[in-house]
Amino acid sequence: MVIDTLERPARTVGAALDVNHVSHRYQLKGEPLPVLDDVSLSVAPGEFVALLGPSGCGKSTLLRLVAGLEPPAEGELLVDAAQVTGPDPSRVVVFQDPTLYPWRTVWKNAALGLEARGLLKAQRGRVDEALELVGLGGFASAYPHQLSGGMAQRAALARALVNEPRLLILDEPLGKLDSLTRIAMQGELVRLWQRQRFTTLLVTHDVEEALLLATRVVVFSPRPARIRAEIAVDLEYPRHRDDPHLVNKRREVLALLGVGDATN
Ligand code: ADP
Ligand code: MG
């Protein structure tokens, strides 16, 4: 039926996220390990928010809670005003390690989400579209071992995009890439976000990356993570790393992270 294609919106629209007074802790050798301390954060539909903070402060934990992989010890998380109670294909996570199945082709890896939901037969075209979007159209039949690091990460991104996420959750997705691939993929991420309009939550340890990509940067304290500052980045895209505004913001953020000195 023609109606089916007409009814599907040309662009997915981002979700709103509200993190209200969320605290979280793990048990470590029988002792509670506080990880998040009263974190409150509101993200508007279509925003791109970067989370920065010292290693081990609790950033990935916050993403796990947003993804619904575990419930918070205290507080609540709302996506479009509905409480997060578990994982959902509209909120997908891309991790630093692309974790592709080695025995599946790129196409089959990207198709996993649709297959799991029994939608693959009806919506095969979405897999092709997602691969095109990330520039892997010509590599559909390749196997993971035939891909470079950047291509593998693109495949993981395609696997997420197939679900037409309304909230894309990225946990240091470019962290293991060489610097040239990383720079190229930063630009690609911005273009994807601008085109698909999903809300994006990105954890990165790279201050410059946060400022190049995000509309807002949230800086966390050391564990247990508290929000130390939120910095709006109201610069046009494409941004340039040597833009004086960006350089100034970088200095500001580094100071908030406690690493600002004469060399920065
Ligand atoms: P970040 O992503 O900011 O580096 P994480 O959220 O991964 O930090 O981890 C925060 C803290 O919680 C770290 O001290 C880590 O060792 C600890 N942690 C993470 N996951 C678990 C777990 N499942 N059990 C116990 N401790 C954990
Ligand atoms: Mg982490």
Side-chain angles (χ1 to χ4, degrees), residues 26 104 140 205 213:
Y26 292 111
R104 283 182 156 236
H205 57 254
L213 304 187

Side-chain angles (χ1 to χ4, degrees), residues 28-125:
L28 198 65
K29 295 179 192 149
E31 295 287 315
L33 178 82
V35 175
L36 298 173
D37 181 15
D38 195 21
V39 173
S40 291
L41 177 68
S42 280
V43 182
E47 246 195 299
F48 193 137
V49 172
L51 311 180
L52 278 172
S55 178
C57 77
K59 303 178 297 295
S60 294
T61 300
L62 180 60
L63 295 191
R64 288 177 57 77
L65 303 184
V66 173
L69 298 173
E70 56 187 300
E74 285 158 47
E76 60 175 8
L77 296 108
L78 306 174
V79 171
D80 287 335
Q83 192 151 350
V84 172
T85 53
D88 189 276
S90 69
R91 280 179 266 122
V92 281
V93 196
V94 177
F95 297 100
Q96 185 174 44
D97 186 351
T99 61
L100 301 170
Y101 289 124
W103 59 87
R104 283 182 156 236
T105 62
V106 166
W107 198 95
K108 283 271 191 182
N109 267 288
L112 273 167
L114 289 181
E115 194 180 294
R117 288 190 283 150
L119 298 174
L120 187 55
K121 260 202 175 126
Q123 308 194 357
R124 299 178 64 84

Side-chain angles (χ1 to χ4, degrees), residues 135-217:
L136 282 183
F139 289 85
S141 56
Y143 284 87
H145 76 271
Q146 298 171 312
L147 306 178
S148 67
M151 288 159 81
Q153 200 50 284
R154 282 194 187 98
L157 206 51
R159 183 178 54 193
L161 294 175
V162 151
N163 296 298
E164 298 189 340
R166 305 190 54 233
L167 176 58
L168 187 63
I169 303 168
L170 304 167
D171 196 353
E172 306 201 28
L174 312 183
K176 281 189 180 164
L177 303 179
D178 65 86
S179 61
L180 291 182
T181 308
R182 191 180 174 113
I183 288 170
M185 286 200 64
Q186 287 168 346
E188 287 170 26
L189 257 185
V190 165
R191 284 190 291 276
L192 265 177
W193 163 71
Q194 288 179 318
R195 182 173 163 168
Q196 304 297 102
R197 290 190 173 184
F198 40 68
T199 305
T200 306
L201 215 48
L202 167 80
V203 165
T204 173
H205 57 254
D206 182 340
V207 175
E208 193 176 79
E209 179 168 287
L211 292 169
L212 277 170
L213 304 187
T215 52
R216 183 156 48 117
V217 175

